[in-house]
Amino acid sequence: MDTTTTSHRDWRGEMLAHVRALIVQAEPAIVEEVKWRKPSNPDGVAAWSLDGLICTGETYKDKVKLTFAQGASLDDPTGLFNSSLDAKVRRAIDLHQGDVIDADAFQSLIQSAVAFNAAR
C-alpha cells in the first residue's frame, strides 16, 4: 500500500517511501494502513502492524518520525532510537533531511518488534 502523501513529494515523502520498503523487506506479512485522519492532518499517519501495532510514520515540517509502539521493550544495539527516549513504552527515530538510516539495523529493529508482538 502506498501511503506517500501528495503533499509530501519532497525529501520527506522519499524518506517515508524508503522506510516503507525496508519495513516490507524485513517482514513481508506486515500490514500497512493509514490511520488518524483529521482536519489538521488529512493525509493521516502511516501505521504498520502484525499481531499488534509495530510502528507509525509521520511527516513533520523538518523530519520524518518513526514511532515504535513497544520501542522501550526492544533492544537497540546501534542506537537508532533518538527521540522519546524517556517514554515508558514507545521509542522513536527522527529522520531529518540528508539522514541515512542503517538499513540492516532498522530491519533488525522491525523484526524484533514483530517477534515482541508475536510473543505477547
Side-chain angles (χ1 to χ4, degrees):
M1 171 183 202
D2 182 6
T3 59
T4 304
T5 63
T6 56
S7 60
H8 297 298
R9 294 193 183 275
D10 58 10
W11 72 268
R12 295 169 295 172
E14 291 172 9
M15 181 70 77
L16 197 55
H18 175 62
V19 168
R20 175 181 295 112
L22 292 175
I23 290 170
V24 172
Q25 288 171 5
E27 181 50 67
I30 209 158
V31 175
E32 181 179 354
E33 301 173 274
V34 176
K35 297 185 173 211
W36 307 295
R37 291 181 195 265
K38 56 187 179 181
S40 62
N41 186 13
D43 295 322
V45 175
W48 293 275
S49 60
L50 185 60
D51 296 324
L53 184 62
I54 301 294
C55 69
T56 61
E58 297 178 83
T59 55
Y60 293 89
K61 182 179 180 180
D62 65 339
K63 66 185 165 228
V64 172
K65 180 180 280 295
L66 304 169
T67 303
F68 282 71
Q70 301 295 326
S73 298
L74 305 177
D75 288 332
D76 180 25
T78 61
L80 288 177
F81 291 132
N82 60 9
S83 182
S84 303
L85 299 177
D86 294 330
K88 293 182 181 181
V89 179
R90 63 187 176 93
R91 292 286 185 273
I93 302 169
D94 287 352
L95 298 168
H96 297 88
Q97 189 170 13
D99 285 351
V100 176
I101 191 164
D102 180 332
D104 291 336
F106 181 72
Q107 288 181 320
S108 179
L109 203 56
I110 291 294
Q111 291 164 345
S112 293
V114 168
F116 180 86
N117 280 1
R120 294 189 321 166

